[in-house]
Amino acid sequence: MKSGFAFHADAVLTEGPVDPGVVPAVVRRFAGTGGAGADVLFMGHVRADVTEAGTVRGIEYTAHEPMARAAFAAVVRDAAAGAEVIDLEVRHSLGYVPAGGISLLIAVATAHRDEAYRVSRAILEGIKRDVPIYGREIIDEETSRWKVNR
Amino acid sequence: MTGREATMSITVEVRYFGPLLDETGVAHETIELELPARVHEIDSRIRTLRTGLAACTYRLAVDESLKEADDLVTEAREIALLPPFSGG
């Protein structure tokens, strides 16, 4: 790995929606590195999907937390392998996130844009594939359905 | 299992995740297991206890490590049943 950033898997899982205030803080931190020429920020929001049972009000996220932390570390390590990642931040929600809330943040800083896009996408797909997190879409107090990743 | 190894009975915590919660009605429980055992044998034991899992798809993790059906388990504290993930 050519990257020199420090990734803290223990800090990824956050209770409730990801605070939008994390975004400017991360951008300032990336800018402060001096070497970052390209930042890619991905944010996943909970959609108010309209289903046969009604409109999704929010998603309740649960996880096997120790396994999830280990899987986040492996996903980031693999995605960054061979790339010159200057800095990186990943947050994922646990608990309830209302529609419109941010449930996932992936921020990657590299010297050039191609690597930033590639690493960001690899982390996103790795999370969906390898991290034991489950989302239950809440329709109303009596109706819910388990989210299925596509 | 060949049936020739010495076995021991242990108590393990079984944890259910995602849609499996709807089938079991509990998030975790303790069961008795005879070890060593193959992962598929452990799975059969759990499916016998929790018949609602019959049509469910999941992988087993033993002490936070994902296993394959033919893997031999010699010791365990936790068995996690993990259906397809839906994070992100």
Side-chain angles (χ1 to χ4, degrees):
Chain A
M1 182 191 294
K2 293 184 280 185
S3 305
F5 66 93
F7 176 69
H8 304 288
D10 288 347
V12 173
L13 292 170
T14 183
E15 190 65 29
V18 176
D19 179 0
V22 170
V23 174
V26 166
V27 170
R28 281 195 296 272
R29 195 179 84 208
F30 287 2
T33 65
D39 301 346
V40 167
L41 276 74
F42 173 88
M43 285 175 286
H45 294 261
V46 171
R47 288 190 310 270
D49 278 351
V50 178
T51 75
E52 293 176 357
T55 302
V56 173
R57 291 184 180 179
I59 295 181
E60 180 81 24
Y61 289 98
T62 53
H64 189 304
E65 294 185 39
M67 289 187 70
R69 284 191 284 272
F72 276 121
V75 163
V76 167
R77 181 192 64 227
D78 292 348
E84 292 187 53
V85 176
I86 293 166
D87 204 350
L88 185 149
E89 185 78 33
V90 179
R91 301 286 178 95
H92 194 298
S93 293
L94 281 182
Y96 185 70
V97 180
I102 302 169
S103 58
L104 175 61
L105 168 71
I106 301 169
V108 180
T110 63
H112 303 286
R113 64 189 183 281
D114 284 350
E115 281 196 324
Y117 278 115
R118 184 170 55 78
V119 172
S120 174
R121 184 63 187 262
I123 292 172
L124 174 60
E125 299 306 325
I127 289 171
K128 288 180 174 288
R129 183 185 62 239
D130 296 338
V131 181
I133 294 176
Y134 301 95
R136 185 197 284 269
E137 296 175 330
I138 308 298
I139 310 294
D140 57 38
E141 290 179 1
E142 296 180 348
T143 311
S144 66
R145 65 177 193 176
W146 289 97
K147 180 172 174 277
V148 176
N149 276 351
R150 297 179 176 82
Chain B
M1 286 289 291
T2 63
R4 287 180 294 184
E5 297 90 343
T7 62
M8 60 179 176
S9 180
I10 64 161
T11 302
V12 300
E13 182 176 33
V14 181
R15 299 180 66 189
Y16 305 102
F17 289 87
L20 304 185
L21 295 169
D22 293 345
E23 304 300 332
T24 63
V26 296
H28 57 90
E29 61 188 333
T30 55
I31 68 169
E32 295 293 320
L33 281 182
E34 294 289 329
L35 296 182
R38 301 286 174 187
V39 167
H40 67 82
E41 294 171 321
I42 295 171
D43 185 34
S44 294
R45 165 93 171 119
I46 295 169
R47 286 179 187 266
T48 299
L49 296 171
R50 291 288 177 185
T51 55
L53 298 175
C56 295
T57 299
Y58 54 82
R59 291 187 67 187
L60 265 67
V62 177
D63 293 341
E64 302 175 9
S65 175
L66 284 169
K67 299 297 182 186
E68 302 297 332
D70 286 335
D71 287 347
L72 185 65
V73 178
T74 57
E75 56 184 27
R77 297 182 308 280
E78 177 195 285
I79 309 286
L81 274 63
L82 301 169
F85 310 145
S86 57

